[in-house]
Amino acid sequence: MRITSPNIYESKERWKIGLVAILILIVIGSILYTNYLAENLAKEEKKKVEMLASVFKKLNSADPDVDISFMFEVIKSNETVPLILTTQNNEIIAYRNIDSALVKKDSTYLKRLLAEMAEKNEPIKIELSADTHNYIYYKDSYLLTQLIYFPYIQFSIILLFLITAYFAFSSARRAEQNRVWVGMAKETAHQIGTPLNSLSGWIEYLRESLDPEFSEKIVPEMEKDIERLITVTDRFSKIGSTPSLTETELVTVIDKLLIYFKKRSSMQVSWQFNYNPTENYMANINVSLFEWVLENLIKNSLDAMEGKGNIIIELTKDTDRIIIDITDNGKGMPTRQFQKVFKPGFSTKKRGWGLGLSLSKRIIEEYHHGKIFVQESIPFVKTQFRIILFL
C-alpha cells in the first residue's frame, strides 16, 4: 500500500494533539502554582505549631503573678492544624483539631494518627527542663490538603467535561455526515440508473449492427462493464440500509472478481489465488458489498505497485472463521499508519477522498461482524491486509 502524504486527516490529528498539549500545559501550570501556594502555607502552619510549642513552654515556666490569658488565646486561635501533645516517651497528653467522635469510637485511632504525623512531619520539641521535654506532633490542615489535591480534581473535572463534549459533538457530527452521505449515495444511484438503461439499449443496437465476429469481441466486455456499473449502483443504493446476508461460496466470488481485474490491469501484474480445493468456504455475506471491500483492497494494491508486481489472495479456514489475506509487494506503509488507513479522510493518493478503506471497515465490521486490519507491511516485499469472517 502507498505511504501517505500530509492531508486533511493529519491536519485534524495535529489540531487534536495541539489542544491536548495546551490542556496538559494548563494543568501542569495549575499544579505547579498550587504546589507553590501549598509549600508556603505548609511553612506558615509549621511556624504556627512552633509558636504554639513556644507558648506551651512559657506556660510551663510562667510566674504565677504573670497574666497568661494571652497565651491561652494563642493556643485557642489554632482552629485548623491537627496536633497531638505528648511526653518525651510519646504518651499522649492532649490533642487539638482532631475529630473526637473518631477518638471515642476507636481507642487506637490517636496512636495510628500519631504514627502518621511522625512519618510526615518531624515533631517539635518543647524543652521543659534539663532532663524533661514534650513533643508536638502535627499534620497538614484540611485546608492545605484540599489545596494540594485541588488541581488534580480540577483536571479530572475538565477532562471529564472535554471527553463528554467531544463524544457528544463527534456523535452529532457523524450522524449529520452519515445523513449527508446516505442521501448523496442514494441520489447517485438514482442518477446512474437512467444512463445505464440507455447504455443497455445501445449494446443491443451494436450487437445487431456490427459485424458478428467484431461484436463478439467487444460487446461481451462492454456488458461486463455495464454489469459492474449496475453493481456499483446497487451498492450505493444500499448505503444506510441493513443489508441482507446470504450463505455464499467465497471462492466463486473471488474468482469472478479476479477475472474482471486481470483483463483491466497491466500485463506486468502477476495474480495468484491460493485455497484448498477440497475445503468448503461458505460464509454469510452480502455479495455486492463484500465484492466492494475486495475491490478496494485490490485497487490499493495495484496503485501501490504502480502497475508492476504480485498480488496474492489466500483463503484459509479454521473451525469458527474464514481468513482472507490480500498481499502485494508495493510501497508499503509504516507501522504507525496501520490504524490510520481506515480513518475517513486518510488518503494515499493525491486526489483520493480517503473513503475506500473506511467504508471497507464499516462493511466488514458493522454489516458482516468480522474484522479487517493490516497484518504486516515490509516496503517492496510484503504488505498484507487480512479479513476475518466468523462462522
Side-chain angles (χ1 to χ4, degrees), residues 187-206:
E187 180 61 23
T188 300
H190 177 72
Q191 294 292 338
I192 292 175
T194 302
L196 270 180
N197 292 332
S198 178
L199 287 171
S200 298
W202 281 109
I203 282 182
E204 289 301 320
Y205 175 78
L206 289 174

Side-chain angles (χ1 to χ4, degrees), residues 16 159-175 343:
K16 290 178 183 177
L159 185 62
L160 181 62
F161 172 77
L162 288 176
I163 291 173
T164 304
Y166 172 77
F167 280 108
F169 177 74
S170 296
S171 298
R173 185 178 61 182
R174 279 197 300 269
K343 298 290 185 181

Side-chain angles (χ1 to χ4, degrees), residues 69 84 97 109 112 143 171 190 199 207 237 357 374 376:
S69 60
I84 298 176
N97 299 322
Y109 176 72
R112 294 200 311 273
L143 177 62
S171 298
H190 177 72
L199 287 171
R207 191 191 302 275
S237 67
L357 290 178
V374 183
E376 62 177 316

